Amino acid sequence: MHPIIKSRFEQFSDGVFAIAITLLAIELKVPTLSTNEIGDAIREISSLLPMIVTFVLSFVTIAIFWVNHHQLTQMFDSIKHRRILWANILFLLFLTLIPFATHAISANPFHPFAMLTYSAVFFGASVSFSILRFFIHKDAGSPRVAMGRSMVGPLFYLLAVISSFYSVWICYFLLTIPALFYFLPRDHKLQ
Amino acid sequence: MHPIIKSRFEQFSDGVFAIAITLLAIELKVPTLSTNEIGDAIREISSLLPMIVTFVLSFVTIAIFWVNHHQLTQMFDSIKHRRILWANILFLLFLTLIPFATHAISANPFHPFAMLTYSAVFFGASVSFSILRFFIHKDAGSPRVAMGRSMVGPLFYLLAVISSFYSVWICYFLLTIPALFYFLPRDHKLQ
Amino acid sequence: MHPIIKSRFEQFSDGVFAIAITLLAIELKVPTLSTNEIGDAIREISSLLPMIVTFVLSFVTIAIFWVNHHQLTQMFDSIKHRRILWANILFLLFLTLIPFATHAISANPFHPFAMLTYSAVFFGASVSFSILRFFIHKDAGSPRVAMGRSMVGPLFYLLAVISSFYSVWICYFLLTIPALFYFLPRDHKLQ
Amino acid sequence: MHPIIKSRFEQFSDGVFAIAITLLAIELKVPTLSTNEIGDAIREISSLLPMIVTFVLSFVTIAIFWVNHHQLTQMFDSIKHRRILWANILFLLFLTLIPFATHAISANPFHPFAMLTYSAVFFGASVSFSILRFFIHKDAGSPRVAMGRSMVGPLFYLLAVISSFYSVWICYFLLTIPALFYFLPRDHKLQ
């Protein structure tokens, strides 16, 4: 097997990122507005609130994965091990499920099973991303760097999976923590 | 955090632009033609006119955003501040909502709330684009350049939001002004 | 206005081409097979034949446009005139309508108005592509080269538009001619 | 005809790959969960099992095609023969049909005709990929290399097509063999 050239690895990944993030909005249900009354329309729209919150959460989470993915790929020039390739493909599998899971919540707002599906997809994406990060750091000679940081996503998403049957609100709360954590800059090279 | 490399920033943005603009047409409702009579078919098709006008307006607006986005990214070689990255992601969030908002009008032609949604999405895209432009110009050492020009979009889209409950026609009229304004070349280097 | 860099022009166009061509198949109606009898299933499938023929015709036509678009962009290094940019955007508008028009035929097989829509979209794509080709050849100093060749698409698609109300079969026949014509190599540098 | 530049050939192909693989998940049917009972919800979800298995199989198969496609394109710098271009386009045609075929199984689980369609699409993709590989190897001066390896996909997919009317299980089993075969590394340059 020839080594995988980085540019095409990034190009394919960026394509999947771009499509997944754009499809989030396509999944939004367009309400058929039955009235011209502003009051009624506002009530109809506010029933869409869980959908809108979930859309924004999914969008921001995918964007953060993209920023982190981009930073990871800057650590190597060519892919030396097949396992990096397949860890990335496993991560992309979960990434493509995010629009599906977002749609599951729109179709079944506040349903524990929809929350479970949503949390489980984020958990899978997060774990596979940590595996990818581990392999890349190892090849770059720094296996232990950022491993603590890597645990935040899987941990909170696992708690979200568990909490999904007890409380939708705790579940949502737990799902936003990794987004906030990874959103904040790690250091001050770039503010 | 490592600096974000420009090529991947553009690649991801171009992906979202390309998908959003292509999905506009997918959202178009295919009429199930119930008759072979030309006269009736023309009547059925002409009921689709608001949808077609909105499709063209959305397409042209996204295309203009793309041209302007492209020109902005020529002003820097690498992204020095995180805020540019996140201003871009905020802009892309509104960009991905354009097919959704276009579809909302197709599903609810002439409904004030659909017009409000559509105008609000354009307003959000326009404001976040102006923020992005401001940050990039600031980093390039020219914070005040093109700021007057930057105000045209947000201003007219805000007026469109306000007008959406009074008149669909005024709203449409206001929505076309930024498209025309930014379509016209700023100078004569390129005609 | 800064000159448009070719790489991003191609990247955006290729994105639209790739999405439009992939969405063709998504538009295919999946039959809900009501029987396990092979004979009945074959009958159900054969009712899908117009859809399949149209899918292949659309796919091949987009592929040919892509090959020709690619060859065109090799004629310049940077875009010197805004009109090239906008001719390309007009062409992409019609390109994104091809999945929609293909779907219109699937939903209304053998309906003259669906054939008219389909032919009209191809006519629009073909005319805007010829305009794009004309501008690019003009900038390259060879305005008259390939102009005869450029007329084949618009001419046959115009005839297809006209014939759509008389005969679906003649219309289909006329639509395949440009595909065959442009498929055949112009010269023998590459076979 | 000018030679086709490799970068755009890859860019267009990668776009189609990325969209096809992302659309797989979009095709997944979101169940409208009618109950909050965990037991019932599990029963509803388990009825989705064939859909999930098919999704994973399609995802992995497309990923493997992508890895192999990437390795093939490393064998040349520019496309010297038109036939490579068209073999690739034929392959992409079948590739775009994979989400459609996956959806056909979701809509008609365990229906022999759905299995036949699915197997036939994989067979077509596999044969056209082998043709592409043959042309590229021939141009690189090694027509016979990897030809044995090339036969595994077409052979097992052909057997899957034949078996689809006898047993869904044998069909599924046959469809996974090429995935496993091509997943395993050919040599030890990269592990």
Side-chain angles (χ1 to χ4, degrees):
Chain A
M1 189 178 150
H2 301 269
I4 297 292
I5 286 170
K6 196 183 151 182
S7 71
R8 225 180 141 183
F9 176 88
E10 289 185 337
Q11 204 161 281
F12 178 64
S13 302
D14 274 356
V16 174
F17 270 111
I19 300 154
I21 213 167
T22 312
L23 288 176
L24 287 176
I26 283 300
E27 298 286 294
L28 294 176
K29 213 172 22 183
V30 174
T32 311
L33 301 166
S34 50
T35 169
N36 269 21
E37 286 291 313
I38 296 179
D40 291 353
I42 286 173
R43 228 163 298 130
E44 285 183 48
I45 296 291
S46 64
S47 74
L48 302 176
L49 215 66
M51 188 180 84
I52 293 165
V53 169
T54 314
F55 162 70
V56 172
L57 182 58
S58 298
F59 195 97
V60 170
T61 306
I62 294 181
I64 288 168
F65 272 125
W66 177 75
V67 172
N68 282 284
H69 192 271
H70 170 272
Q71 286 181 267
L72 263 190
T73 60
Q74 283 184 274
M75 294 187 66
F76 59 87
D77 291 319
S78 74
I79 297 163
K80 288 184 213 100
H81 290 85
R82 250 176 107 83
R83 63 189 183 197
I84 288 178
L85 197 62
W86 286 103
N88 190 54
I89 286 168
L90 183 65
F91 166 67
L92 294 180
L93 188 149
F94 284 106
L95 190 70
T96 65
L97 286 170
I98 293 180
F100 162 76
T102 305
H103 190 35
I105 290 197
S106 303
N108 306 284
F110 303 119
H111 192 289
F113 223 91
M115 290 307 292
L116 174 66
T117 305
Y118 191 73
S119 308
V121 165
F122 276 32
F123 177 67
S126 179
V127 168
S128 54
F129 191 81
S130 293
I131 294 170
L132 178 65
R133 176 185 272 148
F134 177 77
F135 286 160
I136 288 174
H137 276 261
K138 204 173 167 191
D139 275 17
S142 56
R144 242 164 298 215
V145 174
M147 277 305 106
R149 193 175 159 82
S150 267
M151 287 301 104
V152 172
L155 178 68
F156 280 90
Y157 290 134
L158 181 62
L159 292 175
V161 168
I162 295 165
S163 73
S164 61
F165 277 96
Y166 299 101
S167 163
V168 167
W169 303 111
I170 294 175
C171 186
Y172 263 117
F173 173 74
L174 290 165
L175 288 168
T176 55
I177 291 178
L180 285 172
F181 178 80
Y182 293 113
F183 175 77
L184 297 174
R186 191 165 39 171
D187 54 46
H188 298 280
K189 280 183 209 152
L190 218 89
Q191 299 154 17
Chain B
M1 188 179 151
H2 301 269
I4 297 291
I5 286 169
K6 196 182 152 184
S7 72
R8 224 181 141 182
F9 176 88
E10 289 185 335
Q11 204 162 281
F12 178 64
S13 303
D14 274 356
V16 174
F17 270 111
I19 300 154
I21 214 168
T22 312
L23 289 176
L24 286 176
I26 284 299
E27 298 285 296
L28 293 176
K29 214 173 19 183
V30 174
T32 311
L33 301 165
S34 50
T35 170
N36 269 20
E37 286 290 315
I38 296 180
D40 291 352
I42 286 172
R43 226 162 300 130
E44 285 183 46
I45 296 291
S46 64
S47 75
L48 302 176
L49 215 67
M51 187 180 84
I52 293 165
V53 169
T54 313
F55 162 71
V56 172
L57 181 58
S58 298
F59 195 98
V60 170
T61 305
I62 294 181
I64 288 168
F65 272 124
W66 177 75
V67 172
N68 281 284
H69 192 273
H70 170 272
Q71 286 181 268
L72 262 190
T73 60
Q74 283 183 275
M75 295 187 65
F76 59 87
D77 290 319
S78 74
I79 296 163
K80 288 184 213 100
H81 290 86
R82 249 177 108 83
R83 63 187 184 200
I84 288 178
L85 197 62
W86 286 103
N88 190 53
I89 286 168
L90 184 65
F91 166 68
L92 294 180
L93 188 150
F94 284 107
L95 190 70
T96 65
L97 286 170
I98 294 180
F100 163 76
T102 305
H103 189 34
I105 290 196
S106 303
N108 306 284
F110 303 120
H111 192 289
F113 222 91
M115 290 308 291
L116 174 65
T117 305
Y118 191 73
S119 309
V121 165
F122 276 32
F123 176 67
S126 178
V127 167
S128 54
F129 191 81
S130 292
I131 293 170
L132 178 65
R133 177 185 271 148
F134 177 77
F135 286 159
I136 289 175
H137 275 261
K138 202 172 170 194
D139 275 17
S142 55
R144 242 164 298 214
V145 174
M147 278 306 105
R149 192 174 161 83
S150 267
M151 288 301 105
V152 172
L155 178 67
F156 280 90
Y157 291 133
L158 180 62
L159 291 175
V161 167
I162 295 165
S163 73
S164 61
F165 277 96
Y166 298 101
S167 163
V168 167
W169 304 112
I170 293 175
C171 186
Y172 264 116
F173 173 74
L174 289 165
L175 288 168
T176 56
I177 291 178
L180 285 172
F181 179 80
Y182 292 113
F183 174 77
L184 297 174
R186 190 166 39 173
D187 54 45
H188 299 280
K189 279 182 209 155
L190 219 88
Q191 300 154 17
Chain C
M1 189 177 150
H2 301 269
I4 297 292
I5 287 168
K6 196 182 153 183
S7 72
R8 227 183 140 180
F9 176 88
E10 288 185 337
Q11 204 161 280
F12 178 64
S13 303
D14 274 356
V16 175
F17 269 112
I19 301 154
I21 214 168
T22 312
L23 288 176
L24 287 176
I26 283 300
E27 299 285 296
L28 294 177
K29 212 172 23 183
V30 174
T32 310
L33 301 166
S34 49
T35 170
N36 268 21
E37 287 290 315
I38 297 180
D40 291 353
I42 286 172
R43 227 163 299 129
E44 285 183 46
I45 297 291
S46 64
S47 75
L48 303 176
L49 215 66
M51 187 180 83
I52 293 165
V53 168
T54 314
F55 162 71
V56 172
L57 182 58
S58 298
F59 195 98
V60 170
T61 305
I62 293 182
I64 288 168
F65 272 125
W66 177 74
V67 172
N68 281 284
H69 191 272
H70 170 273
Q71 286 181 267
L72 262 190
T73 60
Q74 283 184 274
M75 295 187 65
F76 58 87
D77 290 320
S78 73
I79 297 164
K80 288 186 212 99
H81 289 86
R82 249 177 109 83
R83 61 188 186 199
I84 288 178
L85 197 62
W86 287 103
N88 190 53
I89 286 169
L90 183 65
F91 166 68
L92 294 180
L93 189 149
F94 284 106
L95 190 70
T96 67
L97 286 170
I98 293 180
F100 162 76
T102 305
H103 190 34
I105 290 196
S106 303
N108 306 284
F110 304 119
H111 192 290
F113 222 91
M115 291 307 292
L116 174 65
T117 305
Y118 191 74
S119 309
V121 166
F122 276 32
F123 177 66
S126 178
V127 168
S128 54
F129 191 82
S130 292
I131 293 170
L132 178 65
R133 176 184 271 147
F134 177 77
F135 286 159
I136 289 174
H137 276 260
K138 203 172 168 193
D139 274 17
S142 56
R144 241 164 297 213
V145 174
M147 278 305 107
R149 191 174 161 83
S150 267
M151 288 301 106
V152 172
L155 178 67
F156 280 90
Y157 291 135
L158 181 61
L159 292 175
V161 168
I162 295 165
S163 74
S164 61
F165 277 96
Y166 298 102
S167 162
V168 168
W169 304 111
I170 293 175
C171 185
Y172 264 116
F173 173 75
L174 289 165
L175 288 168
T176 56
I177 291 178
L180 286 172
F181 179 81
Y182 292 114
F183 175 78
L184 298 173
R186 189 165 38 172
D187 54 46
H188 299 279
K189 278 183 210 154
L190 218 89
Q191 298 154 19
Chain D
M1 189 178 149
H2 302 269
I4 297 292
I5 286 170
K6 196 183 152 183
S7 71
R8 227 182 140 181
F9 176 87
E10 288 185 336
Q11 204 161 281
F12 178 65
S13 303
D14 273 356
V16 175
F17 270 111
I19 301 154
I21 213 168
T22 312
L23 289 176
L24 287 176
I26 284 299
E27 298 286 295
L28 294 176
K29 212 172 23 182
V30 174
T32 310
L33 301 165
S34 50
T35 169
N36 268 23
E37 286 292 313
I38 296 179
D40 290 353
I42 286 172
R43 227 163 298 132
E44 286 184 46
I45 297 291
S46 64
S47 75
L48 303 176
L49 215 67
M51 187 180 85
I52 293 165
V53 169
T54 314
F55 162 71
V56 172
L57 181 59
S58 299
F59 195 97
V60 170
T61 305
I62 294 181
I64 288 168
F65 271 126
W66 176 74
V67 173
N68 282 283
H69 192 272
H70 170 273
Q71 287 182 264
L72 262 189
T73 60
Q74 282 184 275
M75 295 187 66
F76 58 87
D77 291 320
S78 74
I79 297 164
K80 288 185 212 101
H81 289 86
R82 250 176 108 85
R83 62 188 185 197
I84 288 178
L85 197 62
W86 286 103
N88 191 54
I89 286 168
L90 184 64
F91 166 68
L92 294 180
L93 188 149
F94 285 106
L95 190 70
T96 66
L97 286 170
I98 293 180
F100 162 76
T102 305
H103 190 35
I105 290 196
S106 303
N108 307 283
F110 304 118
H111 192 289
F113 222 90
M115 290 308 292
L116 174 66
T117 305
Y118 190 73
S119 308
V121 166
F122 276 32
F123 177 67
S126 178
V127 167
S128 53
F129 191 81
S130 292
I131 294 170
L132 178 65
R133 176 185 272 146
F134 177 77
F135 286 160
I136 288 174
H137 276 261
K138 203 172 169 192
D139 275 16
S142 56
R144 242 164 297 214
V145 174
M147 279 304 108
R149 193 175 161 83
S150 267
M151 288 301 106
V152 172
L155 178 68
F156 280 90
Y157 291 133
L158 181 61
L159 291 175
V161 167
I162 295 165
S163 74
S164 62
F165 277 97
Y166 298 101
S167 162
V168 167
W169 304 111
I170 293 175
C171 186
Y172 264 116
F173 174 74
L174 288 165
L175 288 168
T176 56
I177 291 178
L180 286 172
F181 178 81
Y182 292 114
F183 175 77
L184 297 173
R186 191 164 40 169
D187 54 46
H188 298 280
K189 278 184 211 153
L190 218 88
Q191 298 154 19

